[in-house]
Amino acid sequence: KQEVTQIPAALSVPEGENLVLNCSFTDSAIYNLQWFRQDPGKGLTSLLLIQSSQREQTSGRLNASLDKSSGRSTLYIAASQPGDSATYLCAVLHRSSSGNTGKLIFGQGTTLQVKP
Amino acid sequence: DAGVIQSPRHEVTEMGQEVTLRCKPISGHDYLFWYRQTMMRGLELLIYFNNNVPIDDSGMPEDRFSAKMPNASFSTLKIQPSEPRDSAVYFCASSLIYHYGYTFGSGTRLTVV
């Protein structure tokens, strides 16, 4: 059974700091891994998607890496800002045993607070 | 594109009542997903459709829950009868191809009292 774990559950940093959020998954049979952002009371916004054949993706101050063999992904946020405060969710699209469908399985998230 | 549209945004109902949540996926997306989010269990997949056909409903918690997709632009999730433990945020998402990215709606916050 695929399980996704995110560490830490919460993180508080001063503005300007570089930070890393961690995600691990138990089964390497994945199509891709996706990082989302969720603001309080809001929906999910997709940040980065890494296909299983890729190692990393970058968007602005965000960089996500994927090591499928070890079941790990990291989200790196450079020069953090108070506006980055939100919950960050990691999700893997798990490949079914038949290989032709998948389920997006989420971690519990890391709640980030960036202090001015 | 208006994105994935869910209605209502908030729903408060009494235990035992029927609740219907609605979703309009992004035009052209072949896949539609219903998720439930709670503090205890996080985000859980309830059911998903491909070309309006239910593919996997193993996440639907009980027979009280049902979902339909009568056409490519509309889906409903119904709970009948509702119970307080159904209180959660229900999200709808759609995807062009399931192993590409998902786009989520803003969610419906359901409170059953």
Side-chain angles (χ1 to χ4, degrees), chain A residues 31-32 34 36 38 40-46 49 51 89 93-94 99-108, chain B residues 9 31 33 35 37 39-43 45 48 55-56 58 91 98-102 104-107 109:
Chain A
Y31 285 109
N32 59 49
Q34 199 164 359
F36 293 88
Q38 185 174 30
K42 304 292 186 182
L44 280 71
T45 301
S46 179
L49 182 148
Q51 299 292 350
L89 293 153
L93 186 59
H94 179 65
N100 56 5
T101 61
K103 293 184 178 183
L104 195 64
I105 299 173
F106 284 84
Q108 290 282 55
Chain B
R9 289 297 309 276
Y31 287 83
F33 308 84
Y35 280 83
Q37 186 177 38
M39 287 294 293
M40 290 297 295
R41 300 173 68 89
L43 272 156
L45 176 64
Y48 77 93
I55 302 300
D56 186 340
S58 60
F91 287 102
Y98 70 86
H99 55 82
Y100 284 14
Y102 289 27
F104 279 75
S106 299
R109 182 174 295 277

Side-chain angles (χ1 to χ4, degrees), chain A residues 23-76:
Chain A
C23 172
S24 61
F25 48 96
T26 56
D27 189 334
S28 62
I30 65 170
Y31 285 109
N32 59 49
L33 183 145
Q34 199 164 359
W35 283 93
F36 293 88
R37 169 184 172 141
Q38 185 174 30
D39 292 285
K42 304 292 186 182
L44 280 71
T45 301
S46 179
L47 297 174
L48 290 165
L49 182 148
I50 311 175
Q51 299 292 350
S52 61
S53 58
Q54 297 175 323
R55 298 285 291 185
E56 65 178 336
Q57 284 286 333
T58 298
S59 177
R61 294 182 294 108
L62 305 180
N63 176 276
S65 68
L66 173 64
D67 185 341
K68 198 173 70 166
S69 60
S70 67
R72 295 178 187 274
S73 176
T74 60
L75 178 66
Y76 174 83

